[in-house]
Amino acid sequence: MEHLIELRRRLMWSIGGFFVAFLFCFFFAKQLFNLLVIPFKWATQWAGLDPLKVELIYTAPQEFFFTQVKLAMFGGMVIAFPLIATQIYKFIAPGLYKNERNAFLPFLIASPILFLMGASLVYFFFTPMVMWFFLAMQQAGTDDQVQISLLPKVSEYLSLIMTLIFSFGLVFQLPVVTSLMTRVGMLSSEALVEKRKWAIVIAFVVAAILTPPDPISQIGLAVPTILLYEVSIWSARLIERSKERERLAREKREAAEAAAEKSADASST
């Protein structure tokens, strides 16, 4: 019952934090959406168009409202994630040894930082690149061809940028996951090196599934994934060296203690 009561308290804090963050994001939903449209404006400048004439539409009366709700939920989850992660850590920390807590805490801090790095890469580079790619498909009206203009819907644009942020944020967790698995002995740097060829193929397959069907975003996700895989190998090697040093220091300490006990026994005899 004590564990269930503790779990309920942690869930209440997590849900309460998400609800407050959701209300905050919903109140500023239009401002947040205008913030997300800025990469679209950059793309129009790259395409030689007027960024002041950027226009998005919605075709159903309730579409923009539900888009704001969806945006508020996404923003609320991002803002409340540190609180939720802290509550998860506080729930499982009493069941961990001190060295396990010390090993787990850095990864808890690194995870949101890496997610923000992936989201920043999407916001400042890949979203403008993707929108520039789509804007380049527009067609000017002449005597021989019709006018074809890009008028994205608010819901579809939000889905696009949320998909990219989620995909890149998830991929940027690769060093954290592999480092944790190396720390507990489930992975090794040698195994990661041996599976490098498969990792490259899987990176392009995952990129094709998670991103829109354009080559820029697919390559843009696959290349960082491969680079992060190399970072994971380097991180795994560092962890293995650290574990080896700890093992040698522990064996040396145990040998010293055993020699001291043997000396004490010989003196008493």
Side-chain angles (χ1 to χ4, degrees), residues 253-269:
R253 185 174 60 254
E254 291 174 353
E257 292 175 354
E261 291 178 359
K262 185 176 180 180
S263 178
D265 292 341
S267 298
S268 61
T269 302

Side-chain angles (χ1 to χ4, degrees), residues 22 25-26 29-30 32-33 36 56-75 153-159 161-162:
F22 169 80
C25 291
F26 185 75
K30 289 186 178 180
L32 291 174
F33 192 85
L36 294 178
L56 287 86
I57 63 172
Y58 61 97
T59 56
Q62 73 280 6
E63 181 179 346
F64 190 44
F65 171 76
F66 285 113
T67 300
Q68 294 181 67
V69 173
K70 189 176 180 180
L71 175 59
M73 292 180 66
F74 183 76
K153 296 171 63 177
V154 291
S155 59
E156 293 175 349
Y157 179 78
L158 180 64
S159 297
I161 196 167
M162 283 176 56

Side-chain angles (χ1 to χ4, degrees), residues 31-225:
Q31 290 85 344
L32 291 174
F33 192 85
N34 287 325
L35 187 65
L36 294 178
V37 173
I38 291 177
F40 190 11
K41 294 182 178 180
W42 294 339
T44 58
Q45 290 180 330
W46 295 356
L49 304 175
D50 186 1
L52 299 178
K53 294 184 179 180
V54 172
E55 182 180 0
L56 287 86
I57 63 172
Y58 61 97
T59 56
Q62 73 280 6
E63 181 179 346
F64 190 44
F65 171 76
F66 285 113
T67 300
Q68 294 181 67
V69 173
K70 189 176 180 180
L71 175 59
M73 292 180 66
F74 183 76
M77 182 59 67
V78 172
I79 293 175
F81 177 78
L83 174 63
I84 296 173
T86 301
Q87 297 303 314
I88 294 174
Y89 176 75
K90 287 183 177 180
F91 179 71
I92 65 175
L96 301 175
Y97 293 107
K98 183 178 180 179
N99 61 334
E100 293 175 336
R101 291 197 297 269
N102 294 335
F104 185 76
L105 189 57
F107 298 109
L108 190 65
I109 298 173
S111 182
I113 294 175
L114 289 172
F115 184 88
L116 289 176
M117 289 176 60
S120 299
L121 189 63
V122 169
Y123 185 85
F124 291 104
F125 182 71
F126 282 105
T127 299
M129 286 291 294
V130 170
M131 296 309 299
W132 171 80
F133 176 80
F134 291 142
L135 284 169
M137 296 182 178
Q138 294 185 123
Q139 177 176 286
T142 62
D143 295 337
D144 299 329
Q145 58 189 22
V146 298
Q147 175 77 23
I148 300 177
S149 302
L150 174 63
L151 290 176
K153 296 171 63 177
V154 291
S155 59
E156 293 175 349
Y157 179 78
L158 180 64
S159 297
L160 171 65
I161 196 167
M162 283 176 56
T163 299
L164 289 174
I165 290 176
F166 176 77
S167 302
F168 278 77
L170 186 64
V171 165
F172 269 65
Q173 303 303 310
L174 182 61
V176 174
V177 175
T178 54
S179 298
L180 276 174
M181 295 178 70
T182 304
R183 176 74 67 175
V184 300
M186 297 177 62
L187 265 181
S188 65
S189 59
E190 293 181 359
L192 291 173
V193 171
E194 290 176 358
K195 300 298 189 296
R196 181 186 278 124
K197 294 180 180 179
W198 288 101
I200 294 174
V201 175
I202 293 173
F204 280 96
V205 172
V206 171
I209 295 173
L210 294 180
T211 59
D214 66 278
I216 294 177
S217 57
Q218 292 176 5
I219 296 174
L221 180 58
V223 172
T225 303

